[in-house]
Structure formats: C-alpha cells, structure tokens
Amino acid sequence: MFWMSLIKRLFIPATMLGISLALWAQPVVKPQAPVGFDGIWQGTLSIQDEKLTIAFHISSNSDGSFSATLDSPDQGAVEVPFDSVVVDKNKKTVRLAIAAAQGDFFGSLENDGTIIGHWSQGGMAFPLTLKRVEKAPGVSRPQEPAPPFPYATEDVTYENAKAGVKLAATLAIPPGAGPFPAVLLVAGSGPMDRDEAIFGHKPFWVLADYLARQGVVVLRADKRGIGKSTGDHAKALDGDFADDALAGIEFLKTRKEVNPKFIGIIGHSEGGIIAPRVAAASPDVAFIILMAAPGLPGDQVILSQGTLILRASGADDAKVQENRAIQEKVIAAVKQENDPAAAEKKIREILKASLPKDIPAQAIDAQVKRAASPWFRDFLSYDPRPALSKVKCPVLAMAGSKDLQVAPVENLFAIKGALDAGGNKAVTVKMLPGLNHLFQTAKTGSPAEYGKIEETFSPVALKTIGDWIAEQARSGK
C-alpha cells in the first residue's frame, strides 16, 4: 500500500511494525509450563493515540537457552519469532530482538511477577509492562479459505525473460473441462507475496478462492524478490512490475484450462497503475479491474493520503497543514535532485528542521531512505492517465467510500475521464459505501483499523467483481 505520512510523530503501528511482523511470521513450538521467564506475557503498547496489545511467548530449551515469539493481534501478526533471546537469571532481565523489524525489548522481572521494560523500534523507545497470562489473545480471520476446495491448485513458475526473473505463483483451476476465463492478480506497493498478506489478512487468497468457485482461473504470484520469486524487489520500478505482469499473461495463454481470448487483470492500489499499462501494451488483455487505483499523479495521491489519514485520526487543521507543508518540501526535493545522495541530504535537512528535536536521527534516516528510493521517485512523477487513455478493453474501476489512502472520488473521476478521453465506451465505475482501501467494511477507513477488522474482503466487493466478470463473459466482450 502507499505510505509516507510525515507527521509530528512517526506512524509506527499501522505501517512499519505490523507489515514487518507479518512478513516474518513462522510457526514455532509453544512454551511449556511457566517457570521464571517461561510463559505467555501480555501488555499494552501505547504509541501516539493508538494502543496495541502485545504478547510474548517465552520458553526455555533443554540446553538452557531460550526461545520466544511475539503476537500483535491488533496488527494481525502471530507467532513472529525473535532472532535473539537473552535471559540473565541472576539479574532477572530479558532482551528480545527481531532483526527484520528492527525491534527490541529489554525488561526486568519484578517481585510482583511483572516484567517492566521498553520496546524500541525506529530509534524510539516505548514503555511496556507485561503480565503473565494463561492464554494469548487470538486473531480471527473467518474468511481465510479452508479445505476441502472444489477447485484444484497448482504451484507454478514462469519467467520474465527480459529481466531474467522467475515468478513463483499459485494457479487456481475450477473443476470441469474449460476452457475458463482467467485473471492475473497484481498486488499493491511494497514487498507483497501472492496472497497480498497484510495485518494477518490474505486478500488475494480470499479473492482467488471466490473467483475459482465462480469458474474463473486465477493466477497470483509473489512479487519479484519476495517469497519464492527471484529478482531484486528494492530496485524494481512500476515498469518492471508491468513486465512481470505481461509474463503472467503469457503464461496463462499456455494453459489448456484457459480461454486465451478472455484473460484479464485485477490490480489493487499500485496494481491498479500496472494493469492499464499492461492492457495498453498487450492486445491479449481482454479486461481489467482496478481496485482502489490511482487516477492522478503520485504526488497528488500522497498529499491527499496524508491529509485524509490525519483528519481521520482527529488532527486539527493546523496540524494537517503543517504536515502537508513538510510533505510538499520533501516531494519537491525528490523531484529536483536527480542524484540520490544529494536528495537524501536535502530531505534530511528538511525533516530535521521541521520535526520535533526529540525524534531520533535513526527514525529520520528511515524516512529519508524511503523518500529517496528509486521506486518512490518514480511513483511521485508518474501520471496514470496517458496509459488509461490507451486502454480499449472493458474496465471496472471500483473504490471504497472510506478509502483514505487513494481518495476515491477524485481518483475514480480521473480514471473515468482518461478512459472517456481515449474513446473507451466499456467502462463501469463503482463506489462501494463503507469500504476502506482493502475493501473491508470499516468505521473510519484509517489504516490503523486494518488489522483490527476481522473481515478480509467485503462480500459486496467480491460479488461486484465476480458478477462483472460473468457479465463480460456472457456478452463476449
């Protein structure tokens, strides 16, 4: 998803911490009976106005060492293994570290049975008091598909020969003789796997399951450099991801189960930028579905996103304007400085001058690296409208009315306008009431809610997609 909300305090809970934890979640052995530090320890982490429930599972091993995992149920992260667990039984202290998330906890076991310490991440430290509990809070994801499945699945790989990248994917194949309509799913920004996993949700798995049950072949792949796919994700731009998507279309054409004349793309968020680029370049794309897709240049999307998220969090107009001024300066620096080192230097100067003095240099450095990255520079300057105007196949553009990351009204209007300007008459635009950027039924639409909402994908949104594909298949367009 899109990021870069430069506010008075860095928004760690919903953007940095949760995503990092979800990516490295792996099952481990549950702890044994509580002795000393052994057991399940639960506390509440307060960051800005948000409170996150945190649970540590600590267990001693037969060789005297310790293992531990972390749960952050509000962010959908469970059983995230700590890379380092150091227990000093004499001093009654424990230090836990997760390298991938750059997170660290240090605490002392007190006489009252609590562990009092601090969680450190991104150069900042937050107090955290833990109490032993019998059972950790769970994460409910009732829509996650479970066997038996009425369709077949196959792990596949295909190559983007131009880049020398191999994409690892899952192909869902409906029962029956076929050939069937097919779709390629293209995820939003960031290191997304084939399920577009985020905050414990797996939206693309839910979508693939729904469509396969409706008689549609579905291909969903790990992004290059992610999961089992090769390549370097950090160096890839949207044009590279478009080439990867083209490779997916070519792969689908080789499958006997697929109707080669009815292959489409469903792109979410950044994927909604990539889908029109591919459709404009390839006559093999029979239709595209744009979910929460930008229709305006990236810099406008980012500025709008910052304003909407801050207002949803209760910020007053003064703070909103202050944040926007900082963002505008950073965006200008990225656009003006072609040399990455010079851009980083200028962005660091802007942030140091604009943000509170107590924000650590490490936290500022993390924002600087993101803002000066090749992908972000490319995204800021990219205008999706020229590619949209070249799309001649049927298009469904849909957005949730509570999307705060890609403003729905402005971007749907821009998408429709660009398609109309290109003479495309087969355009359907849908605004779905009450849904957020992930197409969950939401209260405010804030990213802080994503992990707390049990629903992964609104049934209304799923039906909208399935019905539209079926309608296109019946009409033969």
Side-chain angles (χ1 to χ4, degrees):
M1 309 307 133
F2 297 118
W3 49 274
M4 190 66 178
S5 181
L6 295 172
I7 54 180
K8 294 290 286 186
R9 300 285 180 180
L10 301 180
F11 188 56
I12 290 180
T15 55
M16 295 164 60
L17 176 61
I19 293 176
S20 297
L21 295 180
L23 288 175
W24 276 271
Q26 298 177 11
V28 296
V29 177
K30 295 290 186 181
Q32 303 299 315
V35 177
F37 282 98
D38 286 70
I40 303 172
W41 299 87
Q42 182 176 323
T44 301
L45 195 63
S46 298
I47 303 177
Q48 298 181 334
D49 298 327
E50 186 170 2
K51 295 185 182 298
L52 297 174
T53 298
I54 300 294
F56 296 159
H57 300 255
I58 303 177
S59 59
S60 55
N61 303 315
S62 59
D63 62 358
S65 64
F66 284 79
S67 299
T69 63
L70 180 150
D71 295 345
S72 179
D74 296 327
Q75 297 176 308
V78 294
E79 296 184 337
V80 182
F82 283 100
D83 300 295
S84 173
V85 181
V86 179
V87 171
D88 189 321
K89 295 181 180 179
N90 295 324
K91 295 182 179 180
K92 296 184 177 181
T93 61
V94 59
R95 181 179 294 279
L96 311 170
I98 299 177
Q102 298 183 332
D104 179 280
F105 173 79
F106 181 79
S108 301
L109 182 61
E110 303 298 315
N111 292 332
D112 63 0
T114 62
I115 298 178
I116 297 179
H118 284 81
W119 174 265
S120 301
Q121 187 177 19
M124 294 177 283
F126 307 92
L128 179 59
T129 298
L130 302 168
K131 295 182 179 180
R132 198 193 306 270
V133 295
E134 293 296 322
K135 183 179 179 181
V139 175
S140 177
R141 297 292 181 256
Q143 285 179 292
E144 187 165 305
F149 302 114
Y151 53 86
T153 60
E154 184 180 334
D155 289 333
V156 299
T157 58
Y158 53 92
E159 186 176 11
N160 172 355
K162 175 181 175 182
V165 169
K166 289 186 178 180
L167 289 308
T170 297
L171 188 70
I173 307 166
F180 304 100
V183 293
L184 169 71
L185 306 187
V186 182
S189 63
M192 291 293 178
D193 65 12
R194 68 192 70 187
D195 296 326
E196 203 184 35
I198 181 171
F199 300 113
H201 291 287
K202 297 178 179 179
F204 273 10
W205 190 11
V206 173
L207 178 57
D209 176 80
Y210 179 85
L211 292 177
R213 293 171 187 269
Q214 306 299 312
V216 179
V217 173
V218 184
L219 179 65
R220 65 190 202 275
D222 299 329
K223 278 192 171 184
R224 65 164 67 187
I226 305 302
K228 296 182 179 180
S229 293
T230 66
D232 189 340
H233 180 272
K235 294 181 179 178
L237 306 180
D238 281 350
D240 301 312
F241 295 129
D243 289 340
D244 292 344
L246 272 169
I249 298 296
E250 290 300 316
F251 170 79
L252 285 171
K253 287 166 55 182
T254 69
R255 299 291 302 206
K256 67 180 187 302
E257 306 93 343
V258 172
N259 179 351
K261 295 183 179 180
F262 205 77
I263 299 173
I265 301 175
I266 301 178
H268 176 229
S269 197
E270 179 197 28
I273 292 177
I274 294 165
R277 294 176 73 154
V278 178
S282 172
D284 294 319
V285 178
F287 63 91
I288 59 174
I289 297 176
L290 310 179
M291 299 170 50
L296 296 169
D299 55 355
Q300 295 183 39
V301 173
I302 291 298
L303 291 171
S304 175
Q305 178 188 117
T307 296
L308 291 173
I309 291 176
L310 276 178
R311 283 179 176 163
S313 70
D316 57 27
D317 288 343
K319 286 188 176 181
V320 170
Q321 291 304 316
E322 181 182 8
N323 180 69
R324 186 181 181 92
I326 297 172
Q327 286 186 309
E328 287 175 341
K329 290 178 182 178
V330 169
I331 289 171
V334 172
K335 288 184 173 183
Q336 292 167 6
E337 295 291 347
N338 293 323
D339 178 61
E344 286 190 18
K345 182 173 184 288
K346 183 169 286 189
I347 295 166
R348 185 173 286 104
E349 290 172 352
I350 292 168
L351 296 183
K352 283 185 176 181
S354 305
L355 298 176
K357 303 303 179 185
D358 60 340
I359 289 188
Q362 184 180 354
I364 291 178
D365 286 344
Q367 289 284 5
V368 169
K369 291 293 184 183
R370 289 180 176 86
S373 69
W375 178 87
F376 193 64
R377 179 190 300 274
D378 180 65
F379 171 72
L380 288 177
S381 300
Y382 183 73
D383 185 344
R385 290 172 291 191
L388 284 163
S389 69
K390 297 175 184 177
V391 174
K392 304 305 179 186
C393 65
V395 179
L396 168 62
M398 53 190 288
S401 66
K402 292 188 177 181
D403 188 341
L404 304 185
Q405 292 191 250
V406 179
V409 174
E410 299 96 306
N411 285 279
L412 284 179
F413 183 82
I415 290 169
K416 180 68 162 57
L419 291 167
D420 288 347
N424 193 329
K425 305 298 183 183
V427 179
T428 303
V429 176
K430 294 277 189 180
M431 175 80 78
L432 302 182
L435 304 188
N436 61 20
H437 187 65
L438 301 187
F439 291 87
Q440 301 168 298
T441 303
K443 291 181 179 179
T444 69
S446 170
E449 293 178 343
Y450 295 168
K452 299 176 182 178
I453 299 172
E454 290 189 358
E455 179 182 84
T456 296
F457 210 123
S458 163
V460 173
L462 290 171
K463 190 173 187 302
T464 299
I465 294 169
D467 288 354
W468 187 83
I469 294 176
E471 180 183 350
Q472 300 307 307
R474 285 192 300 268
S475 66
K477 292 183 179 180

